[in-house]
Amino acid sequence: MSRADDLLLAYQDLDWDLFVDISDSIIKISDKDIDNELIKHASQFSYYSGLCDLAKKDVEQSSLRVTQFASETRKDYSIRCKAEGKKATAKDLDDYVFSHSTYIELSTTLNESMHKLNLLKSLVQAFIHRKDMLIQLSANGRAEKNIYS
């Protein structure tokens, strides 16, 4: 399995437990090999930034589905009420849409997508903090070498 496949699988499976495991692995820094840690940091950061963008796309698509469903359902219900000689109020239309099982399913999918996006944003923030730690550790190492030179 390629690294890209592994990342997509991790994205699909992302939940709180996996988030904690990934967070723990992100903050681990080998102080004996700072140079290598600095070298691999950029690619790791870009992977999670890319997954964050993928999550944004999923949120936007889920949001579009919710909006489209709500609009179509409101319109259909309004037409049905009109055919029955009733006038549907905005509250009636909202109640009808919000109680529909498909709306609930689509909203749940949107919430799950938002949750993944927020977890990935947190992981990207962890990489930003990691970069700052790597810079500080690298500077400390250089300063220590100068003391003994």
Side-chain angles (χ1 to χ4, degrees):
M1 194 179 280
S2 72
R3 182 169 294 158
D5 292 334
D6 288 343
L7 286 165
L8 287 175
L9 184 60
Y11 171 69
Q12 292 167 355
D13 294 341
L14 186 60
D15 62 6
W16 181 251
D17 291 331
L18 183 55
F19 169 80
V20 170
D21 291 343
I22 293 170
S23 294
D24 288 343
S25 71
I26 287 171
I27 62 168
K28 287 182 184 169
I29 295 176
S30 171
D31 60 347
K32 307 232 185 306
D33 196 10
I34 296 296
D35 291 340
N36 189 44
E37 294 283 348
L38 285 164
I39 289 168
K40 69 181 184 179
H41 181 81
S43 62
Q44 291 174 328
F45 179 84
S46 69
Y47 298 152
Y48 286 92
S49 292
L51 287 177
C52 196
D53 287 338
L54 179 62
K56 285 178 189 175
K57 182 184 99 176
D58 287 349
V59 166
E60 289 168 2
Q61 288 176 338
S62 294
S63 180
L64 179 62
R65 284 188 207 103
V66 168
T67 301
Q68 182 179 15
F69 175 80
S71 178
E72 289 172 356
T73 304
R74 287 174 69 90
K75 181 179 177 185
D76 292 345
Y77 186 66
S78 180
I79 290 170
R80 193 169 81 197
C81 285
K82 199 178 267 188
E84 294 173 0
K86 298 186 247 171
K87 183 178 185 310
T89 65
K91 177 139 178 46
D92 293 335
L93 294 170
D94 285 346
D95 290 345
Y96 183 76
V97 169
F98 298 154
S99 65
H100 201 286
S101 63
T102 302
Y103 179 83
I104 294 167
E105 289 171 21
L106 292 171
S107 294
T108 299
T109 300
L110 175 59
N111 287 338
E112 289 169 3
S113 297
M114 284 296 299
H115 179 64
K116 282 186 181 185
L117 174 60
N118 290 329
L119 290 177
L120 283 164
K121 283 181 178 180
S122 294
L123 290 174
V124 168
Q125 280 298 116
F127 273 105
I128 292 169
H129 290 288
R130 184 178 195 274
K131 175 197 71 164
D132 294 341
M133 290 187 307
L134 285 169
I135 290 169
Q136 186 61 51
L137 289 170
S138 178
N140 291 350
R142 285 191 308 275
E144 190 174 304
K145 285 178 187 175
N146 289 337
I147 291 172
Y148 297 110
S149 296

